[in-house]
Amino acid sequence: MTLRLNEALQLLAHSGLPEPAGEPGSVQWMQRLIDALVDLSSRDALTGLANRRAFQLALEREIDRVARSGEPALMLVADIDHFKLVNDRHGHAAGDEVIRAVAAVLADSVRPMDLVARVGGEEFAIILPNCPHTFGLTVAERIRQKVERMSVSVGNGRALSVSVSVGGAFAPQWVRSTPALWLERADLQLYAAKAAGRNRVLLEPTADSHVSHDEKRLLFDSTSFQDFL
């Protein structure tokens, strides 16, 4: 048990986190240690944002909330444009600095209630609960513009500029969708933004998103309305 505690404390120290406050070994101290480890397990090591696991859990909770409340919720997905060229020309250390800088812009551009996650190498996702369409578009454009304007220092006096493409989709209101279907919608908008020239935002046209056949099936399969599909 002592060895495992030492390993846990070393993990916190390696991640730049302080040891739990209180008397070591006490119930309160142990609980704070567990809480710190749980929080650490949900964070991306490079950026400090939520990781993909935490994003998936939050996505499932938000889908359930939207299905019950009918409030609008938006998912944004953002991808750093031409990121492979950054790594190829400047090295992976420079690429890491770019990822950190973009992550900081995303985290600084949303509300405390929103969740920002790093879900892939240069890919990010944001869940915005209770988000009207006009607000979502404003946030997405704010992110794009702030990334476009920033300069990232990558050492040896070098500075890089990058851009992001952003896609967005609203969760169908009053419909119990799935994480995969909602993410697919947002990804389609992201791919369209990339195809249209990158460094742009594309959201579904209205908050009243088109309900796909699969989502209709999820809504009606267990009801008496199956004959209307």
Side-chain angles (χ1 to χ4, degrees):
M1 184 64 173
T2 301
L3 178 61
R4 292 185 179 182
L5 282 177
N6 287 339
E7 290 174 347
L9 293 172
Q10 289 172 7
L11 182 60
L12 291 183
H14 179 72
S15 302
L17 298 175
E19 291 189 14
E23 180 66 26
S26 67
V27 173
Q28 294 83 359
W29 184 88
M30 290 293 294
Q31 185 59 59
R32 293 187 182 110
L33 176 60
I34 292 169
D35 291 344
L37 292 173
V38 169
D39 182 67
L40 185 61
S41 72
S42 68
R43 295 289 164 186
D44 172 62
L46 180 63
T47 64
L49 299 178
N51 59 22
R52 190 174 189 90
R53 174 179 173 274
F55 168 72
Q56 290 289 346
L57 292 173
L59 194 56
E60 292 172 3
R61 290 194 299 268
E62 188 59 19
I63 284 174
D64 182 67
R65 191 191 67 80
V66 170
R68 288 184 287 103
S69 70
E71 291 180 354
L74 174 65
M75 184 198 306
L76 295 176
V77 287
D79 186 87
I80 302 173
D81 296 325
H82 301 298
F83 183 73
K84 185 177 183 300
L85 292 179
V86 174
N87 281 335
D88 291 346
R89 293 175 180 175
H90 304 281
H92 288 277
D96 286 350
E97 290 302 321
V98 168
I99 289 173
R100 289 192 189 97
V102 171
V105 167
L106 267 62
D108 190 50
S109 300
V110 299
R111 305 165 297 181
M113 64 190 291
D114 302 326
L115 181 129
V116 184
R118 182 184 177 208
V119 295
E122 68 273 22
E123 301 169 6
F124 303 88
I126 308 173
I127 301 173
L128 299 99
N130 194 17
C131 176
H133 185 269
T134 53
F135 177 80
L137 184 60
T138 299
V139 171
E141 271 296 331
R142 180 191 306 155
I143 289 169
R144 187 195 65 77
Q145 292 172 14
K146 288 177 71 172
V147 171
E148 184 182 36
R149 291 194 300 262
M150 76 180 186
S151 179
V152 185
S153 175
V154 294
N156 297 324
R158 297 176 300 166
L160 302 180
S161 296
V162 296
S163 64
V164 292
S165 298
V166 183
F170 287 87
Q173 294 167 265
W174 306 110
V175 177
R176 192 170 295 280
S177 184
T178 69
L181 288 172
W182 193 9
L183 185 57
E184 180 183 13
R185 279 216 174 103
D187 279 339
L188 285 174
Q189 298 300 315
L190 173 63
Y191 299 150
K194 292 279 191 182
R198 297 181 170 84
N199 190 25
R200 63 189 62 211
V201 171
L202 282 180
L203 270 61
E204 286 183 338
T206 67
D208 298 322
S209 303
H210 171 71
V211 179
S212 71
H213 176 76
D214 287 338
E215 284 162 336
K216 288 179 182 177
R217 177 178 53 78
L218 289 169
L219 177 63
F220 293 121
D221 267 358
S222 60
T223 75
S224 60
F225 296 103
Q226 294 181 39
D227 294 338
F228 292 94
L229 295 183

